[in-house]
Amino acid sequence: MLAGALVAAQSDQSRLPENTTIDGIDVGGLETDVARSALERHVRQHLDEPVEITTPDRPGFAVSVSPRFLRARPQIDQAIEEAIASDSFTHRALTSVGLAGHNDVALRYELSETRAERIVAQVQNRLGKRPVPATVKVVGKRLRVVPGKEGVGMDEAELLEQLRTLPEAISLQVERQPPQVDTAEAEQARITAQALLDRPPTVVARGARLRLTAARLRPALRFRAVAPRLEVLLAPDVLGEPLREVFGSLERESRDARIEPNGDRVTIVPEQRGVSLAVARAARDIVANPGGTVKLRLRAGVPDVTARELRKLNITARVATFSTPYDCCLPRVTNIQRGAELLDGTLVSPGGTLSLNEILGQRTTDRGFVAAPQIAAGKYEDAVGGGVSQLSTTLYNAAFFAGLQIVTHQPHEFYISRYPMGREATLSWGGPEMIVRNDWAAGLYVNAVATDSSVTVNLYSAPLGRRVETSTGEPTNRVEPETEETVDDTLKPGERIVDQQMGGSGFTIAYTRQVFQGSKLKRDERYTWRYRPVNALVRVGPEPDTKPTPGRGGRTAPDATGTTTDGAAPPSTTTDAQEATPPAARVTTAPAQTKPATGGTGGTATTKEAPPGSTTTAGDGGVPAG
């Protein structure tokens, strides 16, 4: 029997030990991949179950914590490794003869430190006044000890440790607690700080010297409670000022490697390593050396992006370009130019996504955007950021011809003649969105340039045999615009004000896209969109008094001239920006039923991919361009 046990003890260790559970889940004898899948299913459910924090000392006290608020990330692989490591030769031998005990391994979670500490502080504050450590304060030119105070509290470190296992409930012991730092320790810290002020050290570096003074050190003094001690510190941000006055010329700013577009190709400009003063280290050395000499260290600045990393992205050539025009100097142009500035230089890794809303952020005046016309709920109105939809449309078309995956987009409510019919994309903070995915095996670099008359988006990547063909049908289901009248009681009887002139008709448009990688068809798509007509919007005054006028009879006829009461012409239609979803409009995407036409026959216009370096624009009719 012993021999059999020895043979069993040498069994396959790719399985977890028998009689093993992880976070209560039976994984004994399972292969590691199977155990991992079981734990992942368990975690998905567990992350929706809150942790209840209570204390027997306070009936009714409870704090509920969501694991998702803590951004809990399960450490499944570590738990599996711990379970396997516990499977000793002796344990396997005892298991084979039925003598081994049960082994339960805790599943720990990595938490957001900031959020976990916020929960601890919330619990502590609800329990009562926390103990206050003794400390030292700078009062004028003197250092004064401030005694600590008792308080009510719990073991904060223990609560943090329990949160990392996300149990169903945590029960806390609450008790009176003395100050974490007593008065005697604070007095010792005062003596240390006073010695530093009495005998400031000298700082040296590269032949230069700085003799510090109490006046320069005193504003930088800080005292931090690290129970049971009170540490004496110098704030680096305050200390850095006198250090840089003498040694600042030694610093050199780091510079990331970058991609520079150069026509159809790109150039990678190497990174530059920087040099900075190691101020934080100097602060510690100064505290430790009153009256002495401190050698100021220099720290190498490591760029965030290196040329080697950029070369790995295999970005070599322009794969698409697209431009759209506009009239100079309107407020919307300011927004387009600001948006292009934010978009320019964006890098998207293979498989990564580009969300234009995330890149531009919320459009506010503080961030350089201005009020300009937009389309919302079937009419034009001013809003901060109006016009960025033109940047969105330009990017959409560049991505379209680069063969990227279109994750989500939405055309405008009205057709705008400077854009290709259907092939455009509005944008608004909070939606609609414009998101594309780089589903090619090379990185993507975005170059956006907005001049006084047009905006251009160039996309650079590796060609990889990509080719795009598209065809656009003729407009169908035309709907002519109408005049929409609403009664405005603030106007005089018979008065009419035209808020929006009548514009182009509504219609349905369909277009296709086929994306090839070499001879292989990578994507086959058909898009359909229905534009709304641009109706005239007119406000009219209430009906006049219907009583007959003495001596004349009948009714007073309203003014039907179609002009405002001051004789001014109706306001002209303005341009697009951030548009809301039209009630009856929708986008559909489906596999194309037919191949793109090779010519202009059969009522179908065909546009093939523009070669690198060229510009593609299209569009006719519709709302006047802004």
Side-chain angles (χ1 to χ4, degrees):
M1 183 172 181
L2 179 59
L6 291 175
V7 171
Q10 299 173 4
S11 59
D12 183 9
Q13 294 188 48
S14 65
R15 296 176 178 273
L16 274 73
E18 298 289 344
N19 301 323
T20 298
T21 58
I22 297 179
D23 203 31
I25 303 300
D26 187 1
V27 293
L30 297 180
E31 293 184 354
T32 55
D33 288 344
V34 177
R36 185 179 294 106
S37 297
L39 290 171
E40 287 172 351
R41 289 193 299 272
H42 166 68
V43 164
R44 283 195 292 270
Q45 179 180 353
H46 194 49
L47 289 177
D48 293 325
E49 299 171 350
V51 178
E52 296 291 333
I53 303 174
T54 60
T55 172
D57 303 296
R58 297 286 178 85
F61 174 90
V63 173
S64 181
V65 183
S66 166
R68 297 193 185 277
F69 170 80
L70 294 171
R71 293 179 177 169
R73 296 177 295 278
Q75 298 177 301
I76 293 176
D77 288 339
Q78 292 89 327
I80 290 176
E81 290 173 6
E82 183 180 342
I84 293 174
S86 67
D87 190 24
S88 65
F89 180 86
T90 303
H91 178 269
R92 293 195 301 273
L94 292 175
T95 298
S96 66
V97 294
L99 298 177
H102 176 263
N103 180 29
D104 183 45
V105 176
L107 176 59
R108 298 172 60 81
Y109 293 78
E110 184 180 347
L111 309 178
S112 162
E113 290 187 12
T114 301
R115 296 193 172 202
E117 290 172 358
R118 191 186 308 176
I119 292 298
V120 171
Q122 177 186 342
V123 172
Q124 181 69 77
N125 291 335
R126 286 190 56 187
L127 289 174
K129 291 185 177 180
R130 306 170 74 176
V132 179
T135 190
V136 177
K137 285 191 174 181
V138 179
V139 182
K141 293 184 178 181
R142 299 181 57 190
L143 302 179
R144 182 167 63 87
V145 173
V146 180
K149 296 180 181 179
E150 284 191 345
V152 176
M154 44 79 185
D155 189 330
E156 297 183 4
E158 175 62 22
L159 175 55
L160 275 173
E161 184 62 24
Q162 290 195 57
L163 282 174
R164 291 189 178 97
T165 62
L166 296 183
E168 293 182 5
I170 298 175
S171 180
L172 303 173
Q173 296 299 318
V174 180
E175 56 189 1
R176 298 289 300 180
Q177 293 180 339
Q180 301 98 315
V181 177
D182 60 26
T183 304
E185 177 63 28
E187 174 61 24
Q188 185 58 50
R190 187 198 68 80
I191 293 172
T192 300
Q194 189 62 55
L196 181 63
L197 296 178
D198 292 341
R199 295 183 297 145
T202 298
V203 182
V204 298
R206 302 280 178 92
R209 300 172 65 86
L210 170 63
R211 176 67 185 271
L212 291 168
T213 65
R216 302 305 294 264
L217 291 176
R218 197 177 290 114
L221 272 177
R222 301 289 185 270
F223 298 90
R224 182 175 66 187
V226 183
R229 296 183 56 248
L230 185 65
E231 291 186 345
V232 180
L233 307 171
L234 291 172
D237 58 332
V238 179
L239 182 63
E241 183 178 345
L243 292 180
R244 288 190 171 88
E245 288 176 1
V246 176
F247 307 107
S249 61
L250 301 177
E251 292 190 300
R252 184 176 70 245
E253 189 175 356
S254 295
R255 187 181 65 198
D256 288 343
R258 66 186 187 277
I259 292 176
E260 283 192 354
N262 185 18
D264 289 342
R265 314 298 293 179
V266 297
T267 301
I268 295 179
V269 179
E271 72 277 9
Q272 175 180 288
R273 287 182 171 270
V275 177
S276 62
L277 306 181
V279 179
R281 177 168 178 175
R284 295 191 296 270
D285 293 344
I286 289 170
V287 172
N289 290 278
T293 299
V294 173
K295 184 176 181 180
L296 179 61
R297 307 285 180 177
L298 299 178
R299 184 177 58 195
V302 180
D304 294 328
V305 181
T306 67
R308 181 180 180 183
E309 292 169 337
L310 292 181
R311 282 192 287 269
K312 287 182 178 178
L313 293 175
N314 194 26
I315 299 172
T316 59
R318 180 160 56 185
V319 295
T321 182
F322 202 84
S323 296
T324 57
Y326 44 70
D327 291 336
C328 172
C329 312
L330 296 172
R332 66 188 306 276
V333 175
T334 298
N335 295 327
I336 296 170
Q337 292 173 336
R338 175 58 178 150
E341 180 184 12
L342 294 171
L343 175 62
D344 185 47
T346 298
L347 273 171
V348 186
S349 60
T353 58
L354 184 160
S355 165
L356 189 54
N357 255 338
E358 287 184 6
I359 292 172
L360 302 188
Q362 187 169 3
R363 272 69 82 187
T364 64
T365 54
D366 290 342
R367 302 187 62 251
F369 294 94
V370 300
Q374 68 168 15
I375 304 172
K379 64 180 180 179
Y380 289 93
E381 60 183 30
D382 275 5
V384 174
V388 295
S389 285
Q390 179 152 358
L391 177 64
S392 176
T393 289
T394 310
L395 173 63
Y396 171 78
N397 277 276
F400 185 91
F401 285 109
L404 303 180
Q405 179 186 354
I406 309 298
V407 177
T408 183
H409 83 290
Q410 178 178 299
H412 294 85
E413 289 185 65
F414 304 149
Y415 174 57
I416 301 170
S417 60
R418 62 175 165 267
Y419 305 145
M421 287 186 288
R423 213 177 63 225
E424 39 105 347
T426 184
L427 186 76
S428 181
W429 183 250
E433 300 276 1
M434 214 296 282
I435 301 175
V436 298
R437 176 175 289 112
N438 177 23
D439 58 342
W440 293 80
L444 180 76
Y445 177 81
V446 183
N447 168 236
V449 180
T451 67
D452 288 340
S453 58
S454 67
V455 58
T456 300
V457 173
N458 299 297
L459 299 181
Y460 293 84
S461 186
L464 301 176
R466 70 180 79 200
R467 179 168 54 90
V468 174
E469 292 185 359
T470 181
S471 64
T472 302
E474 292 293 332
T476 60
N477 303 321
R478 289 275 185 183
V479 177
E480 296 306 316
E482 300 175 346
T483 297
E484 297 181 9
E485 292 188 354
T486 57
V487 177
D488 186 342
D489 292 335
T490 65
L491 301 181
K492 297 176 183 179
E495 186 177 3
R496 295 169 60 85
I497 293 181
V498 180
D499 290 327
Q500 178 172 289
Q501 282 186 330
M502 185 176 294
S505 61
F507 58 88
T508 298
I509 195 73
Y511 63 97
T512 67
R513 181 176 73 151
Q514 290 184 312
V515 179
F516 295 88
Q517 185 170 9
S519 60
K520 178 182 177 182
L521 181 61
K522 182 181 177 75
R523 188 172 289 113
D524 193 0
E525 300 165 335
R526 178 181 176 84
Y527 296 91
T528 302
W529 180 253
R530 181 157 62 90
Y531 288 109
R532 297 176 60 178
V534 184
N535 292 332
L537 303 180
V538 180
R539 285 180 293 128
V540 299
E543 289 287 339
D545 189 351
T546 57
K547 293 182 179 180
T549 303
R552 297 181 63 182
R555 302 173 64 181
T556 302
D559 177 12
T561 61
T563 61
T564 56
T565 55
D566 60 4
S572 62
T573 307
T574 49
T575 56
D576 70 304
Q578 308 167 54
E579 286 75 31
T581 305
R586 57 190 172 88
V587 171
T588 58
T589 305
Q593 300 301 312
T594 59
K595 298 287 184 181
T598 57
T601 61
T604 300
T606 301
T607 304
K608 294 191 176 182
E609 176 187 19
S614 65
T615 300
T616 306
T617 57
D620 53 62
V623 179

